[in-house]
Amino acid sequence: MLSSTRELLETARRHIYAIGAFNIYNLEGVRAVVSAAEAVQSPAMLQIHPSSLKYGGSPLVSLCLEAARSATVPISVHLDHSTSAEAIRFALEAGMNSIMADGSHLPYAENLSFTREMTQLAHRYGAVVEAEIGRISGTEDGLSVAEKEAKMTDPVQAGEFVRATQVDALAVTIGNVHGEYRSEPRLDFDRLIRIGETVGKDMLLVLHGASGLPAAMISRSIQLGVCKFNVNTEVRQAYMHTLQSDICNARKADLLPCMEQSIAAMQQVVIEKMQLFGSGNKAHLHQTPYAQMLTNTVR
Ligand code: 13P
C-alpha cells in the first residue's frame, strides 16, 4: 500500500527501528525492494535520485507509485538529494510522498533560503521534506581530521536551521559517507546526541551512506533517534555483479533469467538491510493506507 513518509518514519521512531530508503533505477530495483519488503513484512521507501529521475521521468515515478499501491506492505516514494526546484516541483506534481531539498553544497545562508522555499512549496502538497547541513562526501580519503570535522553537521547550526526552515527530517553528517568506506567507518555519536538535543524530539533524523555500516553502528544510531537509512551502493553492486555473471553473459544467455537473477541478488541485500534496521515484521504497525490519510493531506 502507498503510505505516507511521515507515518512510516514517525511509527518507526516511536517503536525504535528504522525505515530503509533504497535507491532504485528501474523495474528490477523496484521489484527487488517491494518483494523483499513483502517477504519479511517490512515497510520501505523507494527512493529516486535526480539523475535516475532525469533518466526515467514520469514512467519511473508512475512505476514506483503503482508498485507501492499494489504492495501488501506499506511503501512510500521519495525524491533523494535534489538540488533543483524544478525537479522538486515535478516530483510533487507527480505525487511523490517526500523530497530531499539538498542545499548542502551551498553556503549556509543560501542553503537555508533554498531549503525554506522548497519546504514551503512541498508542504503545500502535504509532502515531507528532508534537508541536510554539513556535507556528506563520496569518500573521506585524504582528508585531515579537521577537514572531516568541518564537513560534519554542527549541532548548534542544526537547531537554528531546522527552526528557520521548518523541515520535517534532517540528514546528519557524523562521519557517514556515500559509497564504499575505504577505511573502518567511524561515526561521531556524541555529535548525534547533541544534534538530537538541539533539533528537538520531533525532528526525524536520517543517516545517508548506510552501505557498509556495521550492525553495532546501525543499532546505536537507531537508539539515538535515526529512523531512516539511505542505501544505494550495496544494492547497486549486487545488480551489477549479476550483470557480469554467466547467467547474463553465456552464449545463450537470455534477458529474463538475467533480470530475474538480478532482482534476486538485490532482494537478498535489501532483506539483510531490513533485518539490520529492525523493520522486518513491523508492517502491521503501519496500518493506515495513504488513500485514507489524504484527508489530512499528509504524504
Ligand atoms: P550508499 O550508496 O553509501 O549506500 O548511500 C546511499 C545514499 O545515502 C543515498 O542518498
Side-chain angles (χ1 to χ4, degrees), residues 113-145:
S113 83
F114 171 74
T115 305
R116 184 164 40 202
E117 198 186 318
M118 292 303 104
T119 303
Q120 284 166 359
L121 172 70
H123 284 175
R124 288 204 285 277
Y125 288 80
V128 161
V129 178
E130 175 184 328
E132 174 181 332
I133 56 165
R135 185 101 177 104
I136 301 164
S137 311
T139 168
E140 299 290 89
D141 284 0
L143 295 184
S144 68
V145 173

Side-chain angles (χ1 to χ4, degrees), residues 23 47 80-81 177-179 208-211 230-234 236:
N23 287 82
Q47 179 165 271
D80 195 21
H81 280 295
V177 300
H178 286 133
H208 286 230
S211 291
N230 282 16
V231 186
N232 183 358
T233 302
E234 280 187 69
R236 196 181 67 237

